[in-house]
Amino acid sequence: MVPPGPALVFRLVLPQVLLSLCVYAILGALENRGHAYPTTTRWITYICAFLARPVWMLFLARPCMTSLNARKAAAKGAVLPPLVEGSSSEVLASVMRSFGNGYIGEGYLEWAQKYGNTFMYQAYTETRILTLEPEYIKAILATRFNDFEKGLVNYQQLKSLLGAGVFNSDGEMWKFHRNMTRPFFSKTRISDFDIFKRHADDIISAMKKRLAEGYPIEFQDAIGRFTLDSATEFLFGKDVGSLGAGLQYPKGAPIEIDLSSFNHPSNLFVRAFTQGQAQAALRGRRGDMWPLAEFWSDKVRIHREEVDKFMNPILEERRKSHLARSKESVEIGEDGEGETFLDHLIRSTDDDQIIRDELVNILVAGRDTTASLLTFAIYVLTERPELTERLRKEILDFVGPNACPTYKNIADMKYLRAFLNETLRLYPAVPFNSRYSKTSIILPAKTGRPPIYIPAGVKCVYSVFLMHRREDLWGPDALEFDPDRFIDERAQKYLTPNPFIFMPFNAGPRICIGQQFAYNEASYFLIRFLQSFTAFEIDWNVQPESSRPPDEWICIPGTTKGREKVMLSSHLTVVVKDGLWVKMQEQEMNANLE
Ligand code: HEM
């Protein structure tokens, strides 16, 4: 396997070498026909031929392409989005700040405030467009679906983590994966709550034990284990037992460091999985020159290998039992009833790599997203005890103090759904995403402005995180956490006439396939959790320093910077930086919740 750096250099240098060879050949041919060139002229010609491409790429391509595209736009009565001023390094520094130590997306927001909700920025050879405009995001994802794709650059950035699974493919390959996956998210399958019950009960009792020992809970890590075990049981028919590795203790806790827990296979898996995603996300921010930062070794592949090491025995075991089942001619139901997702994949292909890729794709899609939703739900409850009481009242009314919720209970609990939606509005699990334009496209005019021209092959980044916080779309209280906005007259005023202002699960043909599964899982967990615990607080004695926003951060219009108690950070999904340590009290059994 060629390392990323040399592969990039080869891709960049090859056209130059070819150009130089052509010039050399042409000069040679002319000389053979009697044109004599002085040696100096010949060398100058070779050097010019060799440097032509880098000079074009670094200095001329940008202004030439911009002016060409501006002319093409004008010919169609449109304009290019406003271009962010500044050198490539300034632009990239602002992008990195948005995801590094700054407030999430703040560089983009500053540009949006200066240039409007759709703008263009350039970093070295790459041009990107960013939009927070619901109509344009709707066009990218739904109405002009066929004119956009995830694209080759995204594919290459994520290939060593995701291969060519559903998340990371386009065209026919994507359709094949999507069709294969869809039956596993049928209503019958996702309303079977046995899986959630087992794992919710396990984690809640582990939390009770840990609280009884006198320690808080690192909620983000704990909930990641719940969603991982639930997702793997749903997909493989057997969970990966990540809760078996035990909950984290705070740093400095006077207990023996249990190396067996640190090196527990599921912990190795979780670490590899998380670091692989973080590293892959960095590539997206570095732009198309990312291989320079991983010149000699692919920094994602080692993590993916660790993930595969964990999955191989599960795959092998299921293959064996599949063989046994096929010998016994066990009947498979019409929509795959009676088999797991993994069984279905094994039946569909002999290629283990395709199967592993598909599993990693669904795990990436399903585990961290729901964990993010639940982590931010609890974070909000640490700040807003009155919301806990509202939720608990609804739980008492519909489910009772101890019973397990049914599918119908969850469907009837309007406030719980509004609470989850409000969490997804202010803290959407996938805050930034992108597509590439396949052809040049005109997007409709905004009031009083000309239509927008998007050239072919441009990366179009869209941010639901920033869109969900726009006061002109959600009203003057857009930055307040208030679930009632999904129930009261504000829903009629803002959301009903313009549903595309809320897109935590995307939209169009590639809308999240696990949306209902995620709502059921998060609702189920929250109900059982709030039946068991109360009085949530961040434990500032153990909450890492690195997770606290700098004291000098002040409130900035349009953001919750300066108001958040923890740092938000984002690789592919949004997380609380370095974890969320929560103290809480056990709820007395049968306590009157009113
Ligand atoms: C709160 C929880 C979740 C959120 C916010 C969420 C959000 C999203 C988003 C934004 C996408 C689009 C990504 C893109 O096209 O670039 C997506 C796709 C997807 N999600 Fe989810 N997701 C959640 C939970 C789940 C779960 C639990 C599963 C499965 C167990 C799942 C499976 C998928 C799959 C397979 C795709 C790819 C669909 C395709 O490209 O056709 N998601 N999700």
Side-chain angles (χ1 to χ4, degrees), residues 156-179:
Q156 276 167 346
Q157 281 164 1
L158 292 174
K159 184 175 67 169
S160 29
L161 180 70
L162 299 176
V166 64
F167 225 61
N168 200 31
S169 51
D170 280 309
E172 290 307 312
M173 180 62 112
W174 163 73
K175 272 190 205 151
F176 163 78
H177 287 293
R178 177 98 186 176
N179 289 336

PDB file of all heavy atoms in Angstrom, residues 156-179:
ATOM      1  N   GLN A 156     -11.872   9.560  -0.480  1.00  0.00           N
ATOM      2  CA  GLN A 156     -10.469   9.260  -0.174  1.00  0.00           C
ATOM      3  C   GLN A 156     -10.121   9.605   1.272  1.00  0.00           C
ATOM      4  O   GLN A 156      -9.325   8.927   1.903  1.00  0.00           O
ATOM      5  CB  GLN A 156      -9.556   9.997  -1.147  1.00  0.00           C
ATOM      6  CG  GLN A 156      -9.410   9.183  -2.415  1.00  0.00           C
ATOM      7  CD  GLN A 156      -8.799   9.952  -3.551  1.00  0.00           C
ATOM      8  OE1 GLN A 156      -8.713  11.168  -3.503  1.00  0.00           O
ATOM      9  NE2 GLN A 156      -8.413   9.239  -4.585  1.00  0.00           N
ATOM     10  N   GLN A 157     -10.756  10.678   1.780  1.00  0.00           N
ATOM     11  CA  GLN A 157     -10.459  11.066   3.160  1.00  0.00           C
ATOM     12  C   GLN A 157     -10.962  10.016   4.155  1.00  0.00           C
ATOM     13  O   GLN A 157     -10.370   9.793   5.201  1.00  0.00           O
ATOM     14  CB  GLN A 157     -11.099  12.414   3.476  1.00  0.00           C
ATOM     15  CG  GLN A 157     -10.280  13.571   2.922  1.00  0.00           C
ATOM     16  CD  GLN A 157     -11.046  14.875   2.878  1.00  0.00           C
ATOM     17  OE1 GLN A 157     -12.203  14.954   3.281  1.00  0.00           O
ATOM     18  NE2 GLN A 157     -10.415  15.905   2.370  1.00  0.00           N
ATOM     19  N   LEU A 158     -12.077   9.386   3.821  1.00  0.00           N
ATOM     20  CA  LEU A 158     -12.699   8.462   4.784  1.00  0.00           C
ATOM     21  C   LEU A 158     -12.460   7.000   4.455  1.00  0.00           C
ATOM     22  O   LEU A 158     -12.854   6.119   5.224  1.00  0.00           O
ATOM     23  CB  LEU A 158     -14.209   8.725   4.851  1.00  0.00           C
ATOM     24  CG  LEU A 158     -14.610  10.071   5.467  1.00  0.00           C
ATOM     25  CD1 LEU A 158     -16.104  10.292   5.353  1.00  0.00           C
ATOM     26  CD2 LEU A 158     -14.206  10.138   6.938  1.00  0.00           C
ATOM     27  N   LYS A 159     -11.816   6.771   3.303  1.00  0.00           N
ATOM     28  CA  LYS A 159     -11.690   5.391   2.817  1.00  0.00           C
ATOM     29  C   LYS A 159     -11.028   4.462   3.833  1.00  0.00           C
ATOM     30  O   LYS A 159     -11.497   3.357   4.067  1.00  0.00           O
ATOM     31  CB  LYS A 159     -10.883   5.409   1.515  1.00  0.00           C
ATOM     32  CG  LYS A 159     -10.757   4.083   0.838  1.00  0.00           C
ATOM     33  CD  LYS A 159     -10.056   4.230  -0.497  1.00  0.00           C
ATOM     34  CE  LYS A 159      -8.613   4.645  -0.319  1.00  0.00           C
ATOM     35  NZ  LYS A 159      -7.777   4.599  -1.459  1.00  0.00           N
ATOM     36  N   SER A 160      -9.931   4.934   4.464  1.00  0.00           N
ATOM     37  CA  SER A 160      -9.225   3.996   5.348  1.00  0.00           C
ATOM     38  C   SER A 160     -10.020   3.699   6.609  1.00  0.00           C
ATOM     39  O   SER A 160      -9.724   2.753   7.314  1.00  0.00           O
ATOM     40  CB  SER A 160      -7.806   4.475   5.662  1.00  0.00           C
ATOM     41  OG  SER A 160      -7.694   5.855   5.642  1.00  0.00           O
ATOM     42  N   LEU A 161     -11.053   4.504   6.902  1.00  0.00           N
ATOM     43  CA  LEU A 161     -11.904   4.181   8.047  1.00  0.00           C
ATOM     44  C   LEU A 161     -13.155   3.423   7.604  1.00  0.00           C
ATOM     45  O   LEU A 161     -13.529   2.413   8.197  1.00  0.00           O
ATOM     46  CB  LEU A 161     -12.329   5.473   8.764  1.00  0.00           C
ATOM     47  CG  LEU A 161     -13.217   5.281   9.992  1.00  0.00           C
ATOM     48  CD1 LEU A 161     -12.423   4.648  11.133  1.00  0.00           C
ATOM     49  CD2 LEU A 161     -13.816   6.600  10.458  1.00  0.00           C
ATOM     50  N   LEU A 162     -13.799   3.915   6.550  1.00  0.00           N
ATOM     51  CA  LEU A 162     -15.141   3.409   6.208  1.00  0.00           C
ATOM     52  C   LEU A 162     -15.186   2.542   4.955  1.00  0.00           C
ATOM     53  O   LEU A 162     -16.243   1.980   4.655  1.00  0.00           O
ATOM     54  CB  LEU A 162     -16.099   4.594   5.997  1.00  0.00           C
ATOM     55  CG  LEU A 162     -16.328   5.512   7.194  1.00  0.00           C
ATOM     56  CD1 LEU A 162     -17.214   6.674   6.800  1.00  0.00           C
ATOM     57  CD2 LEU A 162     -16.981   4.744   8.330  1.00  0.00           C
ATOM     58  N   GLY A 163     -14.077   2.442   4.228  1.00  0.00           N
ATOM     59  CA  GLY A 163     -14.119   1.700   2.967  1.00  0.00           C
ATOM     60  C   GLY A 163     -15.174   2.311   2.055  1.00  0.00           C
ATOM     61  O   GLY A 163     -15.333   3.530   2.010  1.00  0.00           O
ATOM     62  N   ALA A 164     -15.951   1.436   1.398  1.00  0.00           N
ATOM     63  CA  ALA A 164     -16.982   1.964   0.481  1.00  0.00           C
ATOM     64  C   ALA A 164     -18.378   1.600   0.969  1.00  0.00           C
ATOM     65  O   ALA A 164     -19.232   1.221   0.198  1.00  0.00           O
ATOM     66  CB  ALA A 164     -16.744   1.426  -0.919  1.00  0.00           C
ATOM     67  N   GLY A 165     -18.608   1.712   2.288  1.00  0.00           N
ATOM     68  CA  GLY A 165     -19.927   1.371   2.839  1.00  0.00           C
ATOM     69  C   GLY A 165     -20.969   2.444   2.555  1.00  0.00           C
ATOM     70  O   GLY A 165     -20.693   3.431   1.861  1.00  0.00           O
ATOM     71  N   VAL A 166     -22.149   2.280   3.151  1.00  0.00           N
ATOM     72  CA  VAL A 166     -23.289   3.142   2.834  1.00  0.00           C
ATOM     73  C   VAL A 166     -23.010   4.631   3.077  1.00  0.00           C
ATOM     74  O   VAL A 166     -23.459   5.505   2.345  1.00  0.00           O
ATOM     75  CB  VAL A 166     -24.555   2.688   3.617  1.00  0.00           C
ATOM     76  CG1 VAL A 166     -24.385   2.826   5.118  1.00  0.00           C
ATOM     77  CG2 VAL A 166     -25.809   3.424   3.176  1.00  0.00           C
ATOM     78  N   PHE A 167     -22.225   4.900   4.099  1.00  0.00           N
ATOM     79  CA  PHE A 167     -21.935   6.272   4.480  1.00  0.00           C
ATOM     80  C   PHE A 167     -20.971   6.941   3.513  1.00  0.00           C
ATOM     81  O   PHE A 167     -20.932   8.145   3.403  1.00  0.00           O
ATOM     82  CB  PHE A 167     -21.280   6.226   5.871  1.00  0.00           C
ATOM     83  CG  PHE A 167     -21.817   7.229   6.826  1.00  0.00           C
ATOM     84  CD1 PHE A 167     -23.150   7.201   7.193  1.00  0.00           C
ATOM     85  CD2 PHE A 167     -20.992   8.198   7.379  1.00  0.00           C
ATOM     86  CE1 PHE A 167     -23.649   8.122   8.080  1.00  0.00           C
ATOM     87  CE2 PHE A 167     -21.488   9.118   8.269  1.00  0.00           C
ATOM     88  CZ  PHE A 167     -22.818   9.087   8.624  1.00  0.00           C
ATOM     89  N   ASN A 168     -20.168   6.109   2.850  1.00  0.00           N
ATOM     90  CA  ASN A 168     -19.034   6.657   2.099  1.00  0.00           C
ATOM     91  C   ASN A 168     -19.076   6.250   0.631  1.00  0.00           C
ATOM     92  O   ASN A 168     -18.032   6.037   0.032  1.00  0.00           O
ATOM     93  CB  ASN A 168     -17.720   6.173   2.743  1.00  0.00           C
ATOM     94  CG  ASN A 168     -16.545   7.021   2.365  1.00  0.00           C
ATOM     95  OD1 ASN A 168     -16.702   8.215   2.132  1.00  0.00           O
ATOM     96  ND2 ASN A 168     -15.368   6.427   2.281  1.00  0.00           N
ATOM     97  N   SER A 169     -20.280   6.115   0.069  1.00  0.00           N
ATOM     98  CA  SER A 169     -20.324   5.752  -1.346  1.00  0.00           C
ATOM     99  C   SER A 169     -21.363   6.615  -2.047  1.00  0.00           C
ATOM    100  O   SER A 169     -22.175   7.281  -1.408  1.00  0.00           O
ATOM    101  CB  SER A 169     -20.658   4.270  -1.500  1.00  0.00           C
ATOM    102  OG  SER A 169     -21.799   3.943  -0.755  1.00  0.00           O
ATOM    103  N   ASP A 170     -21.322   6.584  -3.357  1.00  0.00           N
ATOM    104  CA  ASP A 170     -22.243   7.369  -4.177  1.00  0.00           C
ATOM    105  C   ASP A 170     -22.851   6.459  -5.240  1.00  0.00           C
ATOM    106  O   ASP A 170     -22.402   5.327  -5.435  1.00  0.00           O
ATOM    107  CB  ASP A 170     -21.463   8.487  -4.911  1.00  0.00           C
ATOM    108  CG  ASP A 170     -21.188   9.681  -4.014  1.00  0.00           C
ATOM    109  OD1 ASP A 170     -22.136  10.178  -3.398  1.00  0.00           O
ATOM    110  OD2 ASP A 170     -20.022  10.106  -3.930  1.00  0.00           O
ATOM    111  N   GLY A 171     -23.827   6.991  -5.931  1.00  0.00           N
ATOM    112  CA  GLY A 171     -24.368   6.339  -7.130  1.00  0.00           C
ATOM    113  C   GLY A 171     -24.899   4.939  -6.861  1.00  0.00           C
ATOM    114  O   GLY A 171     -25.533   4.669  -5.848  1.00  0.00           O
ATOM    115  N   GLU A 172     -24.585   4.036  -7.799  1.00  0.00           N
ATOM    116  CA  GLU A 172     -25.131   2.677  -7.720  1.00  0.00           C
ATOM    117  C   GLU A 172     -24.642   1.954  -6.479  1.00  0.00           C
ATOM    118  O   GLU A 172     -25.362   1.179  -5.860  1.00  0.00           O
ATOM    119  CB  GLU A 172     -24.736   1.874  -8.983  1.00  0.00           C
ATOM    120  CG  GLU A 172     -25.445   2.351 -10.251  1.00  0.00           C
ATOM    121  CD  GLU A 172     -26.969   2.417 -10.094  1.00  0.00           C
ATOM    122  OE1 GLU A 172     -27.550   1.436  -9.604  1.00  0.00           O
ATOM    123  OE2 GLU A 172     -27.566   3.461 -10.445  1.00  0.00           O
ATOM    124  N   MET A 173     -23.377   2.200  -6.128  1.00  0.00           N
ATOM    125  CA  MET A 173     -22.810   1.530  -4.944  1.00  0.00           C
ATOM    126  C   MET A 173     -23.607   1.931  -3.689  1.00  0.00           C
ATOM    127  O   MET A 173     -23.963   1.099  -2.858  1.00  0.00           O
ATOM    128  CB  MET A 173     -21.336   1.938  -4.803  1.00  0.00           C
ATOM    129  CG  MET A 173     -20.630   1.329  -3.638  1.00  0.00           C
ATOM    130  SD  MET A 173     -20.603  -0.449  -3.774  1.00  0.00           S
ATOM    131  CE  MET A 173     -18.905  -0.760  -4.047  1.00  0.00           C
ATOM    132  N   TRP A 174     -23.921   3.240  -3.571  1.00  0.00           N
ATOM    133  CA  TRP A 174     -24.699   3.702  -2.422  1.00  0.00           C
ATOM    134  C   TRP A 174     -26.094   3.066  -2.432  1.00  0.00           C
ATOM    135  O   TRP A 174     -26.571   2.584  -1.410  1.00  0.00           O
ATOM    136  CB  TRP A 174     -24.804   5.236  -2.421  1.00  0.00           C
ATOM    137  CG  TRP A 174     -25.893   5.690  -1.518  1.00  0.00           C
ATOM    138  CD1 TRP A 174     -25.872   5.679  -0.148  1.00  0.00           C
ATOM    139  CD2 TRP A 174     -27.186   6.159  -1.910  1.00  0.00           C
ATOM    140  NE1 TRP A 174     -27.086   6.112   0.337  1.00  0.00           N
ATOM    141  CE2 TRP A 174     -27.909   6.424  -0.719  1.00  0.00           C
ATOM    142  CE3 TRP A 174     -27.802   6.400  -3.130  1.00  0.00           C
ATOM    143  CZ2 TRP A 174     -29.217   6.907  -0.734  1.00  0.00           C
ATOM    144  CZ3 TRP A 174     -29.098   6.885  -3.151  1.00  0.00           C
ATOM    145  CH2 TRP A 174     -29.783   7.132  -1.953  1.00  0.00           C
ATOM    146  N   LYS A 175     -26.733   3.028  -3.613  1.00  0.00           N
ATOM    147  CA  LYS A 175     -28.088   2.449  -3.715  1.00  0.00           C
ATOM    148  C   LYS A 175     -28.063   0.997  -3.249  1.00  0.00           C
ATOM    149  O   LYS A 175     -28.949   0.545  -2.533  1.00  0.00           O
ATOM    150  CB  LYS A 175     -28.577   2.492  -5.173  1.00  0.00           C
ATOM    151  CG  LYS A 175     -29.261   3.780  -5.510  1.00  0.00           C
ATOM    152  CD  LYS A 175     -29.941   3.694  -6.864  1.00  0.00           C
ATOM    153  CE  LYS A 175     -30.069   5.094  -7.427  1.00  0.00           C
ATOM    154  NZ  LYS A 175     -30.065   5.166  -8.851  1.00  0.00           N
ATOM    155  N   PHE A 176     -27.031   0.274  -3.684  1.00  0.00           N
ATOM    156  CA  PHE A 176     -26.901  -1.134  -3.303  1.00  0.00           C
ATOM    157  C   PHE A 176     -26.858  -1.251  -1.778  1.00  0.00           C
ATOM    158  O   PHE A 176     -27.582  -2.031  -1.165  1.00  0.00           O
ATOM    159  CB  PHE A 176     -25.627  -1.704  -3.958  1.00  0.00           C
ATOM    160  CG  PHE A 176     -25.146  -2.991  -3.359  1.00  0.00           C
ATOM    161  CD1 PHE A 176     -25.780  -4.190  -3.684  1.00  0.00           C
ATOM    162  CD2 PHE A 176     -24.065  -3.017  -2.484  1.00  0.00           C
ATOM    163  CE1 PHE A 176     -25.338  -5.385  -3.133  1.00  0.00           C
ATOM    164  CE2 PHE A 176     -23.624  -4.201  -1.929  1.00  0.00           C
ATOM    165  CZ  PHE A 176     -24.253  -5.394  -2.248  1.00  0.00           C
ATOM    166  N   HIS A 177     -26.011  -0.412  -1.133  1.00  0.00           N
ATOM    167  CA  HIS A 177     -25.882  -0.481   0.334  1.00  0.00           C
ATOM    168  C   HIS A 177     -27.162  -0.036   1.025  1.00  0.00           C
ATOM    169  O   HIS A 177     -27.590  -0.622   2.011  1.00  0.00           O
ATOM    170  CB  HIS A 177     -24.717   0.391   0.800  1.00  0.00           C
ATOM    171  CG  HIS A 177     -23.385  -0.195   0.484  1.00  0.00           C
ATOM    172  ND1 HIS A 177     -22.919  -1.335   1.078  1.00  0.00           N
ATOM    173  CD2 HIS A 177     -22.421   0.200  -0.366  1.00  0.00           C
ATOM    174  CE1 HIS A 177     -21.717  -1.617   0.596  1.00  0.00           C
ATOM    175  NE2 HIS A 177     -21.393  -0.700  -0.276  1.00  0.00           N
ATOM    176  N   ARG A 178     -27.752   1.021   0.515  1.00  0.00           N
ATOM    177  CA  ARG A 178     -28.966   1.564   1.148  1.00  0.00           C
ATOM    178  C   ARG A 178     -30.091   0.512   1.078  1.00  0.00           C
ATOM    179  O   ARG A 178     -30.783   0.276   2.053  1.00  0.00           O
ATOM    180  CB  ARG A 178     -29.358   2.852   0.420  1.00  0.00           C
ATOM    181  CG  ARG A 178     -30.624   3.502   0.899  1.00  0.00           C
ATOM    182  CD  ARG A 178     -30.359   4.637   1.862  1.00  0.00           C
ATOM    183  NE  ARG A 178     -31.575   5.165   2.435  1.00  0.00           N
ATOM    184  CZ  ARG A 178     -31.638   6.093   3.353  1.00  0.00           C
ATOM    185  NH1 ARG A 178     -30.536   6.635   3.822  1.00  0.00           N
ATOM    186  NH2 ARG A 178     -32.779   6.509   3.845  1.00  0.00           N
ATOM    187  N   ASN A 179     -30.242  -0.117  -0.105  1.00  0.00           N
ATOM    188  CA  ASN A 179     -31.311  -1.110  -0.247  1.00  0.00           C
ATOM    189  C   ASN A 179     -31.077  -2.315   0.643  1.00  0.00           C
ATOM    190  O   ASN A 179     -32.009  -2.910   1.164  1.00  0.00           O
ATOM    191  CB  ASN A 179     -31.437  -1.574  -1.716  1.00  0.00           C
ATOM    192  CG  ASN A 179     -32.017  -0.462  -2.553  1.00  0.00           C
ATOM    193  OD1 ASN A 179     -32.700   0.425  -2.031  1.00  0.00           O
ATOM    194  ND2 ASN A 179     -31.744  -0.472  -3.858  1.00  0.00           N
TER     195      ASN A 179
END
